[in-house]
Amino acid sequence: MGNIQILLRQHVGAPCAPIVKAGDEVKKGTLIATPTGLGANIFSSVYGVVEEVKEDRIIIKPDAEQKDEFVPIEEGSKLDMVKAAGVVGMGGAGFPTGVKLGTDLDGGYILINAAECEPGLKHNIMQIENECDKVIRGVKYCMEISNAAKAIFAIKKKNENAVKTLKEALKDEAAISIHLLPDIYPMGEERAVVRETLGIELEPTQLPAAAKSIVINVETLARVAEAIDERKPSFSKNLTVIGKIKGGNKPHVFMDVPVGTSVGDLIEMAGGLDGEPGEIVMGGPFTGKATTLDAPITKTTGGIIPTIEFPDLHGATMGVLVCACGGDETRMRDIATKMNSKVVSVARCKQAAEMKSGALKCERPGNCPGQVKNSMQFKKDKCEYIIIGNCSDCSNTVMGSAPKMGLKVFHQTDHIMRTIGHPLYRYLRVSKKVDQDI
Amino acid sequence: MSITAETCKEHAKDPAVLCCRAEAGITIGPENLEDPAIFDDLVDSGLLKLDGCLTIEEVLGAKLLKTCDSLSPLTADVVEGAKAPAAAEEVVEEVAPVAAPVNATTSVAGGMLKIHIGEGKDIDIQLPMGIGGGVAEVVEVPAAEGTAAVAAPVAAAPVAQEEKVIRSLTRKHFKVTEVKRGPETKFDGTVLYIREGIEEEAAASQKLVNSLKIDIITPENYHTYSETIMDVQPIATKEGDAEIGTGVTRVLDGVVMVVSGTDANGVQIGEFGSSEGYLDENIMWGRPGCPEKGEIFIKTEVIIKEGTNMERPGPLAAHTATDVITQEIREALKKLDESLVVDTEEFTQVRRPGKKKVVIVKEIMGQGAMHDNLILPVEPVGILGGKPNVDLGNVPVMTSPLEVLDGCIHALTCIGPASKEMSRHYWREPLVLETLHDEEVDLCGVLFVGSPQINAEKFYVSKRVGMMVEALDVDGAFVTTEGFGNNHIDFASHHEQIGMRGVPVVGMSFCAVQGALVVGNKYMTHMVDNNKSESGIENEVLGCNTLCHEDAIRALAMLKAAMAGEDVKKAEKKWNPNVKSTNIELIGNTRGAAVELVANEQSLPMSQKRKEKYD
C-alpha cells in the first residue's frame, strides 16, 4: 500500500485546516483537520506517521500492520455525533450531513436516494442488499434528528433483489415506504428524487427543504448509523472499480476503503489495468472527471473507471452540447480533445440554469425541453460531429434531429459505456413511468 | 425548444409539434411543444412535415393517445379531446367582408370602458352617448387577425373637440417648359434662362471645388451618362420675410436641380454604392426624392479636390457651389409676376385634440464622414442658415410638419443611393403628408435625429429621443431611417427608448434581404419594410427603396392597430415580399379602394452595372 493522501477539501465548503504536523503519529480516527467555515471534520483513515502537510493535503505513511480499532468520537446528542464524525453526502455532492440534518422538517420526509443512477456503480445497491439494517437504522436516526414523520426509499425497479430485501426489512415500518424509479438517467438528482417521490417540482435554486424534505444517500445513512452506534468517525468510503481491468469489466465493489487511498492502489486491488487506458474516470460516467493513478479518493468518490481508448476523429469539427446532467464544458472539451477533434461550436441545453456558483442545474431533470435549435446551431457552425452529455430523455431528442441533419452524435459516456458493456445513451425506449407494484 | 404558456398564446394558431418524446396518456402542455419560430427552417430542410397538424390552441390540454418522438406533428389521430379552433378562420390574413365578433364582452370599470373582442374582424365600435362623461369617439379597428382589445377612455375624453389650425403654408407653382442659357438669369414666360459663365463663379466660391459644369437635361436626352447623383432639389424660394414652414413659398414645376460629381481623380463622391451611369437607367422616377419623368434637370457636375470625396467638406462644397446657381434662380423667381402662378397648394398644420397623438421620428444620417444634413436653411433646401446636424451633435431637433414639407432639410447623402432620402424627399415626405391629413390622428411634430458614427453617441442621442417622446406624452410614434446597417443600431435603440416608455412604435426602414436588421430588441415588433427592389437589395438605383406612399399607409395602419392594442403578427423568419402584398390588400379592402403600388427598377432599362452586379 502506498502513502495515504488526505485532501483538505473533501466536500462542499471551504478547505479544512490541518491540526497535525510532519512526524506526528496518527491512528484510524485521529482528527487531523477541522473546518474553517462550512465543512466537516477530517480524520486519519490509517495508523501511521504524518509524512508531510501540504497546502491542499496531508500525506500519511501507513504502518504495515493496520488494526480494525479506531479512535471513537465523543458521545453527545445524535446530531452532534453526526457533526463530530464529519459525515458528508457520499452520493457525490459532499454537503456536510450534520448541517443538512439540522433542519426541522416539521413532520416532513427523509427521502433516501438509492437511485445509484450513474451507470456501472453498484456499491449503494449492494449495501442495501448486505447491510439493510444499518441503512434503515440510519434512516430512523435522521428522521428523529430532523423531526421527519415519514421516509421514502427511492430506488430503481430494476434492482429486484435490493427492492425485495428492502420490502422484507420494512414490512413492520409503517413510516418508511418504497418508491420505484424508472431506469433512466437522471433519477438520483436531488430535485428529481423530490419530484418522483412527492410530486413537487422544485426550482433549481430551491433546496428539498422547500418541500419539507431532506434527500440523503444510502451510504451516508450507513455512516450516520456508524457515527451514532459505533462512535465511528467518517474516514472510509464505499466505491466501485469497473472498466478496463484484468479479469474483465465486471464491477468490483470495495466497502470501507480508507479515504486517501490512491486510484492506482484500488485498481491494483481490483486486478490491475488491462493495458493502457483511454483515460481513468473518477466518479460516475456522467459527472466524473479524468484522474490519474496517484490521485487519492475522498469521502465523495463513488467510482474509478479505466476506459478503453478514444476514437481518433483526425481533427474533425465538433459541436459541444453542455447541459447540467453531464460534464461541464471543461470536461466535454477534454473529451473532444482526447478524441482528436476541434471544437467549433458550443451550445447549452435550454434547461441548464446557471447557479451563483457557476454550476449548472437542470430545471426539470430528466424531462427534455427540446434540442433541435441546438442541432441547427451545430449545423450552421459546420460541425461534423457533436458530443452531448445529456440525460436519457434529452439524448433521445438530440437523436430525433441531429442525425437527420447529418451530424454524427457522440455521448460523453460512450467510451465508458463501451468499456463496461452498457448500452450507449441514444434513443429512449423505456417509459418514464413505472408501475409501483413490487 | 419547449415553449411557455405565453408563447403558446402568441402562436395559438400555429402548428403543434412535440419538442421531445412524449408518452401516451400525458396531457399536452406548453412544455411538450416545439417553438413554431423555427418551423420554417425545419420544413425547408425536410425534417418536419406539417400536413394535418393541429394548432397549438387545439391541442393544449388534450390527451396524447400514443407515445410519440420529438418533432412529431400532433395530428388528430394521436390526440384526444382537441379543442375546436376559436373561430372558423383558415387563413389569418384573409378577411371576410363581414364577420360577427365572437366572444365580445363589454364592461365598465373604474372610469374605463373596456371592450374585449376575442376574435376581431372588421369591427366598428361606436360609443355614441354619455357613459360617465360623454364620448363621441369612433374607434375603428382595421381588419386584422388575432385578438383585438380596445380600451376607450371614457371619463377623461372631452366632448368632440375641434381641430385647431396651428399655421399654414402656401405653395405657389410656376411652370417652366424650357431651360436655356443667356446673358442673365431670368424668366421669360415659362422659359428659364441661366446666366452664361455662372459656372466659374460657382466653382470659385468654394476652395475645394476645382470645376463645375451645368448640363440641361431634357426628357429627350435622359439617356445621358452622369456621375453619381448626390442630390435632387426643388427650386423654391420664400416670399418676403416668410420663414421656412409658414407664409408663401414659390416653386418651379417641370424643373429640378440635380447635383452630381466626382473628385479630381474621377472617383465618385460616395463611390462604393453610387448611382453613376445613364440617367434613365439609374433613377427611380417618381420616388418622393427623385425627378418625375418629363422634368428638366439642371444638373451640375462638380469636380472637387482629389481625396475629399469621402470627407464632409468635399460634398458640402459641391452642394454649396450648386446653390450659388440655385440662389440666382431663386432671386429671379421672387420677381415673377403673380399672373404666372399655375397652381396654388395650401398646407395647414392642424392639431386634433382628443385624437391619438403621434410623433414622427426621422433618423437622418450624421456619421460625419460625408453624410450630413443641413437643418433649417433660410431658403427651401438652401445652404445659408442651415445647421449641419453633425455639428449639432446629432441631437434630436423638433420641426413642424410644414417645415419638413417646405424644405427644412438639405440632404447631403452618401453611399447607398437606393435607400437614401434626397432633399426633395422631405419636400414630398409621404408619411408626414399622410399622417398630417389623417383625421384619426393628431400629428404633433416631426423629430429629426442624426445617426452618429460611434455607438456611445448613438445611445446618447437615442436617450434624448426617449426623453423627448416621454415629454410629448404621445400615444404612438413612428421611427423612420434611411440607409441600412450601422444606422440600425440607433434605429433599434430609438425603438427601445420609446417602447420602454409604453408608447407603441412603428419602425420604417429598408430591410428585405441586404438590409436585414443587425440588431433588435423586444420593442421592435411593428416594422414596415421600405424595400421595392425585386430581390430585396440596395441596387444603387436612386431612391428605389425609399419611403413611399404605400409604405406610409401601411405604417399608419399598423400604428393605429398598435395604439388600439391589437396584435400585429410577427414577421416571418426570412424576408417574404408577400407579407407586404397581403398587408396592402388588407388595407385596400378596408379602405374600399385598392392601393396602387409604385414600380421598381424592373421598369427601367437594364443598366450594365445592374446586369453585372445585381440582376
Side-chain angles (χ1 to χ4, degrees):
Chain A
M1 193 188 218
N3 279 351
I4 294 289
Q5 304 175 67
I6 298 182
L7 299 184
L8 293 170
R9 187 180 204 121
Q10 296 262 345
H11 37 64
V12 168
C16 286
I19 55 167
V20 290
K21 57 186 187 306
D24 286 1
E25 273 188 27
V26 291
K27 297 175 180 169
K28 271 187 190 172
T30 302
L31 185 64
I32 57 171
T34 53
T36 53
L38 178 68
N41 286 336
I42 296 175
F43 303 88
S44 171
S45 56
V46 290
Y47 287 90
V49 178
V50 176
E51 199 166 85
E52 198 183 349
V53 177
K54 286 190 172 175
E55 201 177 332
D56 67 336
R57 67 191 68 192
I58 296 169
I59 300 169
I60 301 169
K61 186 175 171 53
D63 297 342
E65 200 188 327
Q66 296 285 337
K67 290 177 286 186
D68 282 343
E69 300 106 75
F70 51 83
V71 184
I73 55 169
E74 270 183 42
E75 283 217 59
S77 75
K78 290 188 174 74
L79 182 59
D80 286 346
M81 289 173 82
V82 172
K83 283 181 180 168
V87 180
V88 301
M90 305 231 163
F95 193 83
T97 307
V99 178
K100 196 187 254 190
L101 292 178
T103 316
D104 182 358
L105 292 179
D106 187 24
Y109 296 85
I110 296 291
L111 303 177
I112 302 104
N113 190 348
E116 195 151 64
C117 210
E118 286 274 18
L121 306 193
K122 303 290 177 201
H123 51 279
N124 280 175
I125 293 303
M126 192 176 274
Q127 186 161 34
I128 289 178
E129 287 169 356
N130 297 339
E131 300 182 338
C132 199
D133 292 348
K134 192 200 271 186
V135 174
I136 292 171
R137 278 205 311 280
V139 173
K140 289 180 180 169
Y141 288 138
C142 289
M143 290 169 71
E144 184 187 336
I145 294 169
S146 58
N147 188 23
K150 289 198 163 78
I152 305 172
F153 273 88
I155 184 167
K156 287 188 177 177
K157 191 172 188 176
K158 66 166 181 179
N159 300 307
E160 288 171 13
N161 281 338
V163 172
K164 213 181 286 172
T165 309
L166 260 185
K167 194 184 174 192
E168 179 60 28
L170 294 175
K171 64 176 191 280
D172 297 325
E173 305 285 351
I176 309 178
S177 58
I178 302 173
H179 184 94
L180 299 179
L181 303 171
D183 186 20
I184 65 169
Y185 184 92
M187 281 293 129
E189 206 274 351
E190 191 169 70
R191 287 172 305 119
V193 171
V194 172
R195 183 191 64 209
E196 294 297 313
T197 54
L198 304 178
I200 298 169
E201 195 139 61
L202 295 173
E203 297 291 322
T205 49
Q206 285 182 305
L207 291 173
K212 278 178 51 174
S213 63
I214 285 172
V215 178
I216 192 159
N217 168 268
V218 169
E219 183 182 352
T220 315
L221 290 165
R223 301 293 171 209
V224 166
E226 287 170 358
I228 294 168
D229 293 340
E230 305 168 31
R231 295 169 60 197
K232 185 182 171 190
S234 172
F235 57 72
S236 43
K237 184 72 184 80
N238 304 340
L239 49 79
T240 307
V241 181
I242 184 170
K244 198 181 172 191
I245 284 169
K246 281 181 194 146
N249 61 2
K250 295 285 152 279
H252 301 261
V253 171
F254 295 100
M255 306 298 273
D256 297 324
V257 177
V259 167
T261 304
S262 75
V263 168
D265 282 346
L266 277 158
I267 292 175
E268 283 310 312
M269 284 159 68
L273 284 175
D274 185 11
E276 188 66 22
E279 67 172 359
I280 302 169
V281 177
M282 180 185 278
F286 277 87
T287 56
K289 286 187 166 60
T291 189
T292 52
L293 287 172
D294 58 359
I297 63 154
T298 69
K299 287 184 199 176
T300 60
T301 306
I304 290 171
I305 316 172
T307 75
I308 57 168
E309 281 179 27
F310 288 95
D312 185 350
L313 302 183
H314 302 285
T317 51
M318 175 72 83
V320 172
L321 176 51
V322 179
C323 75
C325 297
D328 57 15
E329 188 177 332
T330 313
R331 169 67 176 151
M332 302 289 280
R333 282 178 176 275
D334 176 37
I335 297 173
T337 307
K338 284 172 176 163
M339 295 202 293
N340 189 17
S341 65
K342 193 176 135 214
V343 175
V344 294
S345 184
V346 178
R348 185 186 280 186
C349 176
K350 182 186 171 189
Q351 273 174 192
E354 192 166 327
M355 301 293 104
K356 271 187 194 151
S357 64
L360 299 179
K361 272 196 183 182
C362 183
E363 286 166 0
R364 294 164 63 233
N367 289 324
C368 185
Q371 302 291 348
V372 67
K373 216 166 181 176
N374 297 326
S375 297
M376 285 161 72
Q377 178 192 320
F378 293 136
K379 193 67 199 160
K380 190 178 125 264
D381 293 345
K382 301 197 167 51
C383 299
E384 197 178 330
Y385 294 88
I386 63 170
I387 184 161
I388 64 174
N390 297 81
C391 67
S392 307
D393 198 29
C394 287
S395 297
N396 179 69
T397 311
V398 171
M399 292 309 289
S401 62
K404 289 178 196 156
M405 292 184 184
L407 296 164
K408 294 168 207 161
V409 181
F410 277 103
H411 195 279
Q412 68 156 99
T413 60
D414 281 357
H415 61 300
I416 306 174
M417 295 304 111
R418 290 183 200 282
T419 309
I420 67 175
H422 185 285
L424 302 183
Y425 283 86
R426 291 291 191 278
Y427 293 99
L428 182 58
R429 306 281 187 217
V430 299
S431 175
K432 288 185 202 171
K433 282 183 284 246
V434 61
D435 191 351
Q436 292 295 322
D437 289 344
I438 298 170
Chain B
M1 306 268 178
S2 62
I3 54 178
T4 59
E6 206 172 283
T7 317
C8 278
K9 226 176 246 173
E10 283 170 28
H11 289 279
K13 295 194 185 301
D14 283 328
V17 174
L18 287 177
C19 69
C20 310
R21 179 182 185 273
E23 294 184 17
I26 63 148
T27 302
I28 299 164
E31 70 278 6
N32 302 114
L33 299 175
E34 185 54 77
D35 184 354
I38 61 172
F39 289 172
D40 289 349
D41 283 351
L42 294 175
V43 171
D44 285 354
S45 56
L47 281 173
L48 186 60
K49 286 199 176 63
L50 294 172
D51 308 329
C53 190
L54 297 172
T55 63
I56 289 176
E57 65 175 6
E58 289 173 312
V59 303
L60 280 182
K63 193 172 140 191
L64 186 67
L65 295 176
K66 199 178 124 195
T67 298
C68 295
D69 223 318
S70 60
L71 298 185
S72 302
L74 291 174
T75 47
D77 54 322
V78 295
V79 172
E80 186 183 86
K83 285 190 270 296
E89 201 57 43
E90 294 274 294
V91 187
V92 277
E93 286 87 1
E94 226 175 76
V95 180
V98 187
V102 184
N103 300 335
T105 57
T106 58
S107 63
V108 182
M112 292 281 286
L113 171 64
K114 288 186 176 166
I115 304 170
H116 174 77
I117 302 150
E119 181 75 11
K121 291 288 165 199
D122 218 2
I123 304 154
D124 284 3
I125 300 168
Q126 302 200 9
L127 306 169
M129 62 266 157
I131 317 164
V135 193
E137 188 170 21
V138 181
V139 187
E140 195 213 11
V141 185
E145 69 288 339
T147 300
V150 183
V154 174
V159 188
Q161 295 188 28
E162 279 183 21
E163 287 188 354
K164 206 163 78 185
V165 175
I166 305 291
R167 58 176 69 81
S168 63
L169 169 71
T170 307
R171 261 189 210 168
K172 290 181 186 166
H173 295 261
F174 294 80
K175 196 164 181 61
V176 169
T177 53
E178 205 176 339
V179 179
K180 289 182 172 173
R181 305 304 299 268
E184 65 169 318
T185 300
K186 63 159 190 181
F187 289 89
D188 183 4
T190 60
V191 181
L192 165 63
Y193 289 91
I194 297 171
R195 179 163 61 90
E196 282 158 354
I198 193 170
E199 293 92 331
E200 287 74 24
E201 280 173 42
S205 74
Q206 298 300 311
K207 263 203 331 224
L208 294 178
V209 172
N210 290 6
S211 68
L212 184 148
K213 189 176 89 173
I214 296 175
D215 290 311
I216 313 292
I217 311 282
T218 54
E220 306 82 70
N221 50 26
Y222 279 163
H223 191 66
T224 300
Y225 177 86
S226 170
E227 307 298 353
T228 190
I229 295 172
M230 298 162 65
D231 202 13
V232 178
Q233 304 163 345
I235 304 170
T237 188
K238 297 303 295 180
E239 265 187 16
D241 295 330
E243 293 187 345
I244 294 274
T246 59
V248 179
T249 299
R250 294 183 159 203
V251 61
L252 294 181
D253 283 356
V255 61
V256 285
M257 292 300 290
V258 174
V259 188
S260 74
T262 65
D263 84 347
N265 292 331
V267 182
Q268 299 296 332
I269 297 174
E271 172 110 32
F272 206 66
S274 42
S275 57
E276 77 278 7
Y278 291 103
L279 291 167
D280 59 346
E281 295 172 355
N282 288 286
I283 293 173
M284 205 53 249
W285 303 107
R287 290 288 188 267
C290 291
E292 297 290 322
K293 215 167 190 170
E295 283 176 335
I296 301 165
F297 305 174
I298 302 171
K299 190 171 83 73
T300 60
E301 185 183 310
V302 191
I303 310 297
I304 57 173
K305 195 166 170 283
E306 63 277 8
T308 60
N309 59 317
M310 288 282 201
E311 292 164 13
R312 211 151 57 104
L316 180 61
H319 278 258
T320 310
T322 303
D323 197 60
V324 169
I325 300 156
T326 317
Q327 188 57 34
E328 203 164 294
I329 304 173
R330 288 191 193 110
E331 296 302 333
L333 176 57
K334 283 181 201 290
K335 291 181 216 148
L336 270 185
D337 193 86
E338 281 282 329
S339 64
L340 291 168
V341 173
V342 292
D343 189 16
T344 304
E345 267 181 296
E346 186 79 20
F347 297 92
T348 46
Q349 182 185 355
V350 292
R351 293 296 307 271
R352 301 184 178 93
K355 296 292 165 63
K356 293 282 186 193
K357 183 172 166 186
V358 301
V359 64
I360 296 173
V361 179
K362 281 192 78 68
E363 187 184 15
I364 52 179
M365 295 303 103
Q367 252 115 68
M370 51 189 297
H371 196 150
D372 201 351
N373 287 275
L374 303 179
I375 300 179
L376 285 162
V378 176
E379 291 283 15
V381 195
I383 295 280
L384 186 71
K387 294 269 180 286
N389 70 310
V390 174
D391 293 343
L392 291 175
N394 286 309
V395 292
V397 172
M398 182 60 83
T399 61
S400 87
L402 299 191
E403 285 174 328
V404 179
L405 299 171
D406 205 18
C408 80
I409 299 291
H410 184 127
L412 296 96
T413 64
C414 67
I415 58 170
S419 58
K420 291 289 160 60
E421 294 175 346
M422 303 278 122
S423 294
R424 195 184 203 185
H425 179 93
Y426 302 93
W427 184 263
R428 320 200 274 190
E429 166 55 49
L431 182 64
V432 172
L433 282 168
E434 196 65 26
T435 312
L436 185 60
H437 292 144
D438 191 319
E439 291 178 1
E440 289 173 16
V441 294
D442 172 32
L443 175 62
C444 70
V446 182
L447 189 62
F448 284 96
V449 59
S451 175
Q453 177 74 39
I454 304 162
N455 278 358
E457 289 177 11
K458 287 178 183 297
F459 299 130
Y460 180 93
V461 299
S462 77
K463 280 177 187 163
R464 288 309 95 201
V465 168
M467 278 302 176
M468 216 174 271
V469 169
E470 176 184 305
L472 287 173
D473 242 341
V474 291
D475 299 302
F478 299 96
V479 178
T480 77
T481 189
E482 51 175 334
F484 58 93
N486 176 313
N487 61 302
H488 281 157
I489 296 169
D490 16 351
F491 180 62
S493 184
H494 299 327
H495 278 80
E496 186 170 33
Q497 288 294 328
I498 298 170
M500 68 195 254
R501 290 168 162 90
V503 178
V505 50
V506 168
M508 302 181 75
S509 171
F510 160 68
C511 290
V513 176
Q514 195 177 5
L517 294 170
V518 290
V519 285
N521 55 57
K522 64 174 176 177
Y523 302 105
M524 299 178 81
T525 47
H526 298 71
M527 301 291 287
V528 170
D529 191 346
N530 290 337
N531 174 69
K532 315 282 180 308
S533 69
E534 196 72 15
S535 28
I537 52 163
E538 160 64 59
N539 51 15
E540 299 183 84
V541 172
L542 191 72
C544 183
N545 295 324
T546 52
L547 197 164
C548 292
H549 177 251
E550 66 198 49
D551 307 311
I553 56 170
R554 266 152 52 229
L556 197 51
M558 206 181 268
L559 187 62
K560 284 183 192 171
M563 290 190 296
E566 283 174 52
D567 284 341
V568 168
K569 261 186 94 174
K570 264 192 188 164
E572 291 175 28
K573 200 158 177 230
K574 278 187 197 144
W575 176 60
N576 178 358
N578 294 332
V579 173
K580 174 179 169 180
S581 324
T582 312
N583 282 344
I584 286 282
E585 202 182 312
L586 267 169
I587 294 168
N589 290 347
T590 324
R591 292 181 152 205
V595 179
E596 250 179 76
L597 296 182
V598 294
N600 65 8
E601 77 286 345
Q602 304 297 322
S603 66
L604 302 176
M606 175 70 81
S607 71
Q608 196 59 30
K609 181 166 73 177
R610 242 177 71 206
K611 205 162 159 185
E612 285 164 9
K613 284 172 80 175
Y614 303 116
D615 286 316

